[in-house]
């Protein structure tokens, strides 16, 4: 299958701005990336030091500069880095992308997750002309499942577990959203 390129552009919602990552985001992200609340359902290891976060953000910057659609989620009022959202080519289906996101724990429960997922879904379908968007989610991550389902995703199936996060022992759920839903 052909690899698809997702457009990169700054996006805005009512309260948020989605921008390219900057090395200067590392300091704001460290507190979230070392938090067990974030990583209990994540497929990668939480950070033990600011050096790990700096390397992580440096990698985000490099991937963005190489054309990956990865945005830092920021509040408009103070420009603070709150988390990350991405839209990547999903090579197993034509004209399909995978959405992934996380927000720092102190930003949970304010509707930011749903706001940013809604924006990226709309961007994927209208600007990138996708026919499907998929997401993988830990089955016990009720908050992320709620956000995805609220935005029109439906559970398609459980996937074979090939993830190796700190606490990611469950079989992940594959959710899909089609432009035809």
């Amino acid at each position: 299958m052909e690899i698809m390129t997702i457009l990169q552009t700054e996006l805005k919602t009512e309260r948020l701005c989605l921008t390219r990552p900057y090395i200067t985001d590392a300091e704001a992200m460290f507190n979230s990336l070392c938090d067990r609340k974030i990583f209990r359902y994540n497929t990668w290891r939480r950070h033990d030091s600011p050096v790990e976060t700096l390397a992580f953000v440096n990698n985000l910057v490099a991937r963005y500069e190489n054309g990956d659609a990865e945005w830092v989620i920021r509040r408009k009022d103070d420009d603070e880095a709150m988390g990350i959202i991405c839209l990547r080519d999903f090579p197993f289906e034509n004209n399909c992308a995978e959405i992934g996101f996380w927000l720092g724990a102190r930003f949970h429960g304010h509707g930011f997750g749903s706001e940013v997922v809604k924006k990226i879904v709309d961007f994927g379908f209208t600007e990138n002309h996708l026919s499907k968007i998929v997401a993988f989610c830990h089955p016990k991550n009720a908050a992320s499942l709620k956000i995805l389902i609220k935005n029109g995703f439906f559970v398609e199936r459980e996937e074979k577990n090939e993830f190796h996060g700190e606490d990611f022992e469950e079989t992940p759920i594959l959710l899909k959203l089609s432009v035809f839903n």
Side-chain angles (χ1 to χ4, degrees):
M1 288 194 189
E2 187 175 317
I3 294 180
M4 173 179 44
T5 301
I6 305 291
L7 298 173
Q8 294 174 311
T9 187
E10 187 171 292
L11 301 169
K12 295 181 189 276
T13 69
E14 182 181 328
R15 301 176 296 166
L16 305 171
C17 189
L18 308 179
T19 70
R20 65 168 294 140
Y22 296 98
I23 292 297
T24 54
D25 293 325
E27 186 175 349
M29 287 188 186
F30 174 67
N31 289 333
S32 296
L33 292 170
C34 69
D35 187 344
R36 272 205 167 284
K37 290 177 190 170
I38 300 296
F39 286 90
R40 68 180 169 214
Y41 301 130
N42 211 320
T43 59
W44 34 286
R45 202 172 71 68
R46 70 183 172 85
H47 295 187
D48 292 323
S49 75
V51 172
E52 284 179 285
T53 304
L54 184 59
F56 171 81
V57 173
N58 195 28
N59 189 27
L60 280 178
V61 169
R63 288 196 322 245
Y64 186 91
E65 289 173 354
N66 285 327
D68 286 356
E70 305 222 17
W71 297 271
V72 173
I73 304 165
R74 304 175 190 285
R75 288 190 296 206
K76 281 183 179 176
D77 60 354
D78 64 9
D79 200 41
E80 180 179 4
M82 304 166 57
I84 295 171
I85 190 161
C86 66
L87 193 62
R88 295 186 183 115
D89 178 50
F90 188 67
F92 307 107
E93 292 191 42
N94 287 324
N95 205 31
C96 183
E98 177 184 351
I99 189 172
F101 62 95
W102 65 264
L103 282 170
R106 67 189 184 95
F107 303 109
H108 293 181
H110 302 285
F112 295 127
S114 189
E115 187 174 328
V116 75
V117 167
K118 181 181 188 313
K119 184 65 176 183
I120 294 299
V121 165
D122 181 57
F123 177 72
F125 288 140
T126 60
E127 300 297 322
N128 289 281
H129 310 290
L130 297 171
S131 59
K132 289 181 190 169
I133 300 175
V134 300
F136 291 92
C137 192
H138 190 289
K140 292 181 183 171
N141 189 344
S144 289
L145 283 170
K146 182 179 175 182
I147 288 168
L148 292 164
I149 290 168
K150 179 179 180 179
N151 280 282
F153 285 80
F154 63 92
V155 175
E156 181 168 90
R157 66 178 183 269
E158 290 187 356
E159 279 289 299
K160 181 180 174 188
N161 188 358
E162 295 181 6
F163 299 116
H164 302 288
E166 281 184 33
D167 300 318
F168 208 98
E169 297 173 5
E170 303 284 331
T171 300
I173 296 171
L174 173 67
L175 297 99
K176 280 193 179 176
L177 176 61
S178 169
V179 72
F180 303 109
N181 283 8

